[in-house]
Coordinates of all heavy atoms in Angstrom, one line a residue:
T1 N -56.8 -127.6 -54.3 CA -55.9 -127.9 -53.1 C -55.1 -129.2 -53.4 O -53.9 -129.2 -52.8 CB -56.8 -128.1 -51.9 OG1 -57.5 -126.9 -51.7 CG2 -56.1 -128.5 -50.7
A2 N -55.7 -130.2 -53.9 CA -55.0 -131.4 -54.1 C -53.6 -131.2 -54.8 O -52.7 -131.9 -54.6 CB -55.8 -132.4 -54.8
Y3 N -53.7 -130.5 -55.8 CA -52.5 -130.3 -56.7 C -51.5 -129.3 -56.1 O -50.3 -129.3 -56.3 CB -52.8 -130.1 -58.1 CG -53.6 -131.3 -58.7 CD1 -55.0 -131.2 -58.7 CD2 -53.0 -132.4 -59.0 CE1 -55.7 -132.3 -59.1 CE2 -53.7 -133.5 -59.4 CZ -55.1 -133.5 -59.4 OH -55.8 -134.6 -59.8
K4 N -52.1 -128.3 -55.4 CA -51.2 -127.4 -54.6 C -50.3 -128.2 -53.6 O -49.1 -127.9 -53.4 CB -52.1 -126.4 -53.9 CG -52.6 -125.3 -54.7 CD -53.4 -124.3 -53.8 CE -54.2 -123.3 -54.6 NZ -55.1 -122.4 -53.6
N5 N -51.0 -129.1 -53.1 CA -50.3 -130.0 -52.0 C -49.2 -130.8 -52.7 O -48.4 -131.4 -52.0 CB -51.3 -130.9 -51.3 CG -52.2 -130.0 -50.3 OD1 -51.8 -128.9 -50.0 ND2 -53.3 -130.6 -49.9
L6 N -49.3 -131.2 -54.0 CA -48.4 -131.8 -54.7 C -47.3 -130.9 -55.2 O -46.3 -131.4 -55.8 CB -48.9 -132.6 -55.8 CG -49.8 -133.8 -55.6 CD1 -50.5 -134.3 -56.8 CD2 -49.1 -134.8 -54.7
G7 N -47.4 -129.7 -55.0 CA -46.3 -128.7 -55.3 C -46.5 -127.8 -56.6 O -45.7 -127.0 -57.0
F8 N -47.8 -128.0 -57.2 CA -48.0 -127.3 -58.4 C -48.5 -125.7 -58.0 O -49.2 -125.5 -57.0 CB -49.0 -127.8 -59.1 CG -48.6 -129.2 -59.8 CD1 -49.0 -130.5 -59.2 CD2 -47.8 -129.3 -60.9 CE1 -48.6 -131.6 -59.6 CE2 -47.4 -130.4 -61.4 CZ -47.7 -131.7 -60.7
D9 N -48.1 -124.8 -58.8 CA -48.3 -123.4 -58.5 C -49.0 -122.8 -59.8 O -48.2 -122.9 -60.9 CB -47.1 -122.6 -58.0 CG -47.4 -121.3 -57.6 OD1 -48.3 -120.6 -58.1 OD2 -46.5 -120.7 -56.8
I10 N -50.0 -122.2 -59.8 CA -50.6 -121.6 -61.0 C -49.8 -120.5 -61.7 O -49.8 -120.3 -62.9 CB -51.9 -121.1 -60.8 CG1 -52.8 -120.7 -62.0 CG2 -51.9 -119.8 -59.8 CD1 -53.1 -121.9 -62.9
K11 N -48.9 -120.0 -60.9 CA -47.9 -118.9 -61.4 C -47.1 -119.6 -62.6 O -46.5 -118.9 -63.4 CB -47.1 -118.3 -60.4 CG -47.8 -117.5 -59.5 CD -46.9 -116.9 -58.3 CE -47.7 -116.2 -57.4 NZ -46.9 -115.8 -56.1
D12 N -46.9 -120.8 -62.5 CA -46.1 -121.5 -63.5 C -46.8 -121.8 -64.8 O -46.3 -122.4 -65.8 CB -45.5 -122.9 -62.9 CG -44.6 -122.6 -61.7 OD1 -43.8 -121.6 -61.8 OD2 -44.7 -123.4 -60.8
Y13 N -48.2 -121.5 -64.8 CA -49.0 -121.9 -65.9 C -49.8 -120.7 -66.3 O -51.2 -120.7 -66.2 CB -49.9 -123.1 -65.7 CG -49.1 -124.2 -65.0 CD1 -48.9 -124.4 -63.7 CD2 -48.6 -125.1 -65.9 CE1 -48.1 -125.4 -63.2 CE2 -47.7 -126.2 -65.5 CZ -47.6 -126.3 -64.2 OH -46.7 -127.4 -63.6
P14 N -49.3 -119.5 -66.7 CA -49.9 -118.3 -67.0 C -50.9 -118.3 -68.1 O -52.0 -117.8 -67.9 CB -48.8 -117.4 -67.3 CG -47.7 -118.2 -67.8 CD -47.7 -119.4 -67.0
N15 N -50.7 -119.2 -69.1 CA -51.6 -119.2 -70.2 C -53.0 -120.0 -69.8 O -54.1 -119.6 -70.1 CB -51.1 -120.0 -71.4 CG -49.9 -119.2 -72.0 OD1 -49.8 -118.0 -71.8 ND2 -48.9 -120.0 -72.6
A16 N -52.8 -121.1 -68.9 CA -53.9 -121.7 -68.4 C -54.8 -120.7 -67.5 O -56.1 -120.7 -67.7 CB -53.6 -123.0 -67.6
Y17 N -54.2 -120.0 -66.7 CA -54.9 -118.9 -65.9 C -55.6 -118.0 -66.8 O -56.7 -117.6 -66.5 CB -54.0 -118.3 -64.9 CG -54.7 -117.3 -64.0 CD1 -55.5 -117.9 -63.0 CD2 -54.7 -116.0 -64.3 CE1 -56.3 -117.0 -62.2 CE2 -55.6 -115.1 -63.5 CZ -56.3 -115.5 -62.6 OH -57.1 -114.8 -61.8
D18 N -55.0 -117.6 -67.7 CA -55.5 -116.5 -68.6 C -56.8 -117.0 -69.3 O -57.7 -116.3 -69.5 CB -54.5 -116.0 -69.7 CG -55.0 -114.8 -70.4 OD1 -55.4 -113.7 -69.7 OD2 -55.1 -114.8 -71.6
M19 N -56.7 -118.3 -69.7 CA -57.9 -118.8 -70.4 C -59.1 -119.0 -69.4 O -60.2 -118.6 -69.7 CB -57.7 -120.2 -70.9 CG -56.7 -120.2 -72.1 SD -57.1 -119.2 -73.5 CE -58.4 -120.1 -74.2
Y20 N -58.6 -119.3 -68.2 CA -59.7 -119.6 -67.1 C -60.4 -118.3 -66.6 O -61.6 -118.3 -66.4 CB -59.1 -120.3 -66.0 CG -59.6 -120.2 -64.5 CD1 -60.8 -120.8 -64.3 CD2 -59.2 -119.2 -63.7 CE1 -61.5 -120.6 -63.0 CE2 -59.7 -119.1 -62.4 CZ -60.9 -119.7 -62.1 OH -61.5 -119.6 -60.9
R21 N -59.6 -117.3 -66.5 CA -60.1 -116.0 -65.7 C -61.4 -115.4 -66.3 O -62.2 -114.9 -65.6 CB -59.0 -114.9 -65.6 CG -58.6 -114.3 -66.9 CD -57.7 -113.2 -66.9 NE -57.4 -112.8 -68.3 CZ -58.1 -111.9 -69.0 NH1 -59.2 -111.5 -68.6 NH2 -57.7 -111.7 -70.2
C22 N -61.5 -115.5 -67.6 CA -62.6 -114.9 -68.2 C -63.6 -115.9 -69.0 O -64.3 -115.5 -69.8 CB -62.2 -113.8 -69.1 SG -61.1 -114.3 -70.5
E23 N -63.5 -117.3 -68.7 CA -64.2 -118.3 -69.4 C -65.4 -118.5 -68.7 O -65.6 -118.6 -67.5 CB -63.4 -119.6 -69.4 CG -64.0 -120.6 -70.4 CD -65.1 -121.5 -69.8 OE1 -65.1 -121.8 -68.6 OE2 -66.1 -121.8 -70.6
I24 N -66.5 -118.5 -69.7 CA -67.9 -118.8 -69.2 C -68.4 -120.0 -70.1 O -68.3 -119.9 -71.3 CB -68.8 -117.7 -69.2 CG1 -68.4 -116.5 -68.3 CG2 -70.2 -118.0 -68.8 CD1 -69.1 -115.2 -68.5
S25 N -69.0 -121.0 -69.5 CA -69.7 -122.0 -70.2 C -71.2 -121.8 -70.2 O -71.8 -121.8 -69.1 CB -69.4 -123.5 -69.6 OG -68.0 -123.6 -69.7
L26 N -71.9 -121.6 -71.4 CA -73.3 -121.5 -71.5 C -74.0 -122.7 -71.6 O -73.3 -123.7 -72.1 CB -73.5 -120.5 -72.7 CG -72.8 -119.1 -72.7 CD1 -73.2 -118.4 -74.0 CD2 -73.4 -118.3 -71.5
P27 N -75.3 -122.7 -71.2 CA -75.9 -124.1 -71.4 C -76.0 -124.4 -72.9 O -76.3 -123.7 -73.9 CB -77.5 -123.6 -71.0 CG -77.3 -122.4 -70.2 CD -76.1 -121.7 -70.7
L28 N -75.7 -125.8 -73.1 CA -75.7 -126.4 -74.3 C -76.2 -127.8 -74.2 O -75.3 -128.7 -73.7 CB -74.3 -126.2 -75.0 CG -74.1 -127.1 -76.3 CD1 -75.0 -126.6 -77.3 CD2 -72.6 -126.9 -76.8
H29 N -77.5 -128.0 -74.5 CA -77.9 -129.4 -74.4 C -79.1 -129.5 -75.3 O -79.6 -128.6 -75.8 CB -78.3 -129.9 -73.0 CG -79.2 -128.8 -72.4 ND1 -80.6 -128.9 -72.5 CD2 -79.1 -127.9 -71.5 CE1 -81.2 -128.0 -71.8 NE2 -80.2 -127.3 -71.0
T30 N -79.6 -130.8 -75.7 CA -80.6 -131.0 -76.6 C -82.0 -130.9 -76.1 O -83.0 -131.2 -76.9 CB -80.4 -132.5 -77.3 OG1 -80.1 -133.4 -76.3 CG2 -79.2 -132.3 -78.2
L31 N -82.2 -130.5 -74.8 CA -83.6 -130.1 -74.4 C -83.8 -128.7 -74.5 O -84.9 -128.2 -74.3 CB -83.7 -130.6 -72.9 CG -83.5 -132.0 -72.6 CD1 -83.8 -132.4 -71.1 CD2 -84.5 -132.9 -73.5
L32 N -82.9 -127.9 -75.0 CA -83.0 -126.5 -75.3 C -84.0 -126.3 -76.5 O -83.5 -126.9 -77.6 CB -81.8 -125.8 -75.5 CG -80.8 -125.6 -74.1 CD1 -79.4 -125.1 -74.6 CD2 -81.5 -124.7 -73.1

């Protein structure tokens, strides 16, 4: 919302959206 309100539109950043749409971060820490 904050950046939409500044005039940014995800349609102008197709590669960023493509990376995001199917990204998952799995647990990664030293207590595992």
Side-chain angles (χ1 to χ4, degrees):
T1 300
Y3 298 99
K4 287 180 186 176
N5 290 343
L6 290 176
F8 294 101
D9 188 333
I10 191 60
K11 291 176 184 174
D12 297 324
Y13 307 92
N15 295 338
Y17 180 79
D18 188 55
M19 295 303 289
Y20 154 78
R21 69 172 170 84
C22 60
E23 191 278 326
I24 299 172
S25 303
L26 299 177
L28 174 54
H29 55 82
T30 45
L31 297 183
L32 290 169

